[in-house]
């Protein structure tokens, strides 16, 4: 099977760790630091334009999905790629997400949004608490019944081993559900590995959990003929299953191309002095295109693709207009030496506030909007309610023969689908 990847995190972090496969240093590593030397400064210019990939720990075999995303970064003094860092959150806050997509005043009423990721994030609940407290959101904990973490078999233990790259994805997913739907409950299902089989089993487990109305999946890979056999994992009538469209520009990934899911593309989102208060264009990194393996669903009617077209809808994903996230799972802790190693790109994991992008952000946002809409959900619903979406009409993610598949225009297009949420009416 063609390896796949997890979509999209870019970082601006306080004492962060750039997620680069490399030297595996541990907390007790001996490091020579000159007497009186200060760590790399904790505040960096978030306007720097360097964006690069980051990866998870290397746990990849032929049938596994690899974890890959985007971060805005800089070159450290040792020449390595290191993340920008801040002592306070940068990027879009929950209030920005709700403002941009007209979600204020809507309620999830305790409905559950599930996120499916590979491996565990041992600090998921603690980090979520910091994020929600900072932004004035109600607590979401195991104790109050709002948060639950289970393995792909539905048990709270044993959980899979942790993975620093996937942990940042977990934090992103949890925080975006919190931002878009503060009173939704959250279920984190940790798959044993990044294989289609384990991630698919985790999706099935989420769908079988009472109260779950939407399931977000921020991973995928370039289509091949073997992937259509995984469709059954995503076929859950009445539950909205959202999937990131990808972060590598024009091109189709799976399971975004499954006919059973809502494929979520990406936009660049910025404040503006118009009636909406925001403006959006297609993000150049968002995946889109015409499937080679999936039949066209009855609810899609675009004429330039005989099979399934990606995407369906979209939300913010551009790393340069990304969202604030809190994550502290790393290899060495929270001491100054660790912070220095992280700042030099030598340690995996993060340690503080991060600003992230990619369709990893847009998928959980759309899953949460589905939850705000109610129950008995369907991926075809937005196609019948296009007036309740913001149409994105500019921007491109590459070159293609049918221009709408890679260039935003009025009405349906590949990078942004039907558009972005204008309230929950389209969902």
């Amino acid at each position: 099977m063609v390896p796949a990847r997890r979509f999209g995190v870019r970082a601006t972090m306080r004492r962060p760790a750039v997620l680069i496969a490399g030297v595996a240093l541990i907390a007790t590593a001996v490091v020579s630091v000159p007497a009186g030397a200060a760590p790399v400064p904790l505040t960096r210019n978030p306007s720097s334009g360097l964006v690069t990939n980051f990866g998870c720990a290397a746990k990849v075999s032929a049938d596994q999905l690899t974890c890959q995303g985007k971060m805005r970064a800089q070159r450290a003094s040792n020449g390595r790629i290191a993340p920008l860092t801040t002592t306070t959150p940068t990027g879009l806050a929950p209030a920005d997400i709700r403002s941009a997509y007209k979600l204020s005043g809507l309620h999830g009423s305790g409905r559950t949004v599930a996120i499916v990721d590979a491996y565990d994030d041992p600090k998921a609940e603690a980090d979520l608490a910091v994020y929600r407290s900072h932004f004035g959101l109600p607590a979401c904990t195991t104790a109050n019944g709002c948060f639950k973490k289970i393995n792909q078999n539905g048990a709270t233990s044993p959980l899979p081993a942790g993975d620093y790259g996937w942990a940042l994805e977990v934090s992103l997913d949890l925080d975006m559900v919190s931002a878009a739907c503060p009173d939704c409950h959250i279920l984190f299902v940790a798959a044993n590995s990044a294989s289609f089989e384990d991630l698919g089993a985790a999706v099935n487990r989420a769908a079988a959990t009472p109260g779950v109305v939407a399931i977000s999946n921020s991973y995928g890979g370039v289509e091949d003929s073997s992937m259509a056999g995984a469709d059954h994992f995503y076929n859950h009538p009445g539950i909205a299953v959202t999937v990131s469209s990808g972060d590598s520009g024009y091109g189709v990934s799976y399971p975004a191309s499954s006919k059973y899911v809502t494929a979520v593309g990406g936009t660049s989102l910025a404040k503006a002095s118009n009636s909406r208060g925001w403006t959006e264009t297609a993000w150049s990194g968002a995946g889109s295109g015409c499937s080679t393996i999936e039949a066209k669903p009855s609810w899609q009617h675009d004429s330039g693709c005989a099979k399934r077209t990606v995407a369906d809808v979209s939300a913010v994903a551009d790393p340069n207009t990304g969202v604030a996230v809190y994550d502290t799972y790393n290899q060495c802790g929270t001491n100054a030496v660790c912070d220095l190693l992280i700042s030099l790109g030598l340690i995996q994991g993060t340690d503080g506030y991060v600003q992230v992008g990619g369709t990893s952000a847009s998928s959980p946002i759309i899953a949460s909007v589905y939850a705000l809409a109610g129950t008995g959900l369907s991926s075809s619903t937005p196609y019948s309610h296009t007036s309740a979406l913001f149409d994105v009409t500019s921007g491109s993610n590459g070159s293609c023969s049918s221009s709408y598949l890679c260039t935003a225009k009025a009405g349906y297009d590949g990078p942004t689908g039907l558009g972005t949420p204008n309230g929950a009416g389209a969902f």
Side-chain angles (χ1 to χ4, degrees), residues 123-150:
K123 302 194 75 173
E125 185 171 0
D127 287 346
L128 178 63
V130 173
Y131 176 89
R132 293 180 71 108
S133 175
H134 179 89
F135 289 110
L137 305 178
C140 187
T141 66
T142 301
N144 69 14
C146 174
F147 176 77
K148 188 173 185 180
K149 177 167 64 172
I150 59 176

Side-chain angles (χ1 to χ4, degrees), residues 61-420:
S61 63
D63 67 341
Q64 285 189 312
L65 298 99
T66 62
C67 163
Q68 182 180 358
K70 302 287 186 183
M71 66 168 66
R72 201 169 77 192
Q74 65 176 8
R75 290 201 178 276
S77 58
N78 61 355
R80 287 180 176 267
I81 299 296
L84 296 167
T85 60
T86 61
T87 54
T88 57
T90 61
L92 300 175
D96 295 320
I97 298 298
R98 294 196 297 275
S99 169
Y101 298 126
K102 309 306 177 188
L103 305 178
S104 300
L106 302 180
H107 299 285
S109 303
R111 302 181 193 106
T112 300
V113 176
I115 66 162
V116 170
D117 287 304
Y119 310 109
D120 184 28
D121 174 2
K123 302 194 75 173
E125 185 171 0
D127 287 346
L128 178 63
V130 173
Y131 176 89
R132 293 180 71 108
S133 175
H134 179 89
F135 289 110
L137 305 178
C140 187
T141 66
T142 301
N144 69 14
C146 174
F147 176 77
K148 188 173 185 180
K149 177 167 64 172
I150 59 176
N151 61 28
Q152 68 186 54
N153 298 317
T156 56
S157 67
L159 292 164
D163 180 276
Y164 304 109
W166 283 93
L168 183 51
E169 174 63 45
V170 172
S171 292
L172 168 60
D173 291 343
L174 296 178
D175 291 355
M176 289 307 95
V177 175
S178 301
C181 184
D183 65 338
C184 280
H185 288 188
I186 306 174
L187 174 70
F188 165 33
V189 187
N192 291 341
S193 75
S195 71
F196 271 116
E197 291 73 19
D198 284 340
L199 286 164
V203 174
N204 284 342
R205 176 57 55 189
T209 303
V212 170
V213 299
I215 305 168
S216 177
N217 304 270
S218 297
Y219 53 84
V222 177
E223 282 188 331
D224 69 36
S225 59
S226 69
M227 293 178 178
D231 261 0
H232 64 95
F233 290 126
Y234 304 97
N235 183 14
H236 298 288
I239 297 175
V241 180
T242 66
V243 178
S244 301
S245 72
D247 293 350
S248 299
Y250 179 66
V252 177
S253 68
Y254 185 89
S257 62
S258 171
K259 56 183 172 289
Y260 298 118
V261 311
T262 297
V264 185
T267 66
S268 302
L269 176 69
K271 290 184 177 180
S273 57
N274 55 23
S275 58
R276 177 186 171 188
W278 299 85
T279 184
E280 280 182 287
T281 60
W283 175 46
S284 61
S288 70
C290 184
S291 172
T292 61
I293 64 174
E294 292 280 347
K296 198 167 198 68
S298 61
W299 31 266
Q300 276 194 327
H301 303 291
D302 55 301
S303 60
C305 173
K307 293 185 180 291
R308 168 79 157 109
T309 313
V310 174
D312 296 310
V313 293
S314 54
V316 60
D318 184 351
N320 292 301
T321 65
V323 296
V325 170
Y326 188 79
D327 179 75
T328 63
Y329 184 49
N330 62 62
Q331 287 178 297
C332 63
T334 59
N335 58 74
V337 172
C338 177
D339 291 342
L340 174 60
L341 296 175
I342 289 171
S343 297
L344 292 172
L346 297 173
I347 288 293
Q348 294 188 52
T350 60
D351 184 26
Y353 285 102
V354 302
Q355 182 175 311
V356 303
T359 52
S360 278
S362 56
S363 178
I365 290 172
I366 294 298
S368 302
V369 178
Y370 269 115
L372 289 169
T375 59
L377 306 172
S378 169
S379 57
S380 66
T381 303
Y383 286 81
S384 301
H385 299 86
T386 57
S387 62
L389 293 162
F390 290 115
D391 192 8
V392 181
T393 60
S394 63
S396 174
N397 66 356
S399 300
C400 56
S401 57
S402 296
S403 62
Y404 79 96
L405 294 177
C406 59
T407 302
K409 68 176 193 63
Y412 180 84
D413 59 72
T416 68
L418 299 166
T420 61

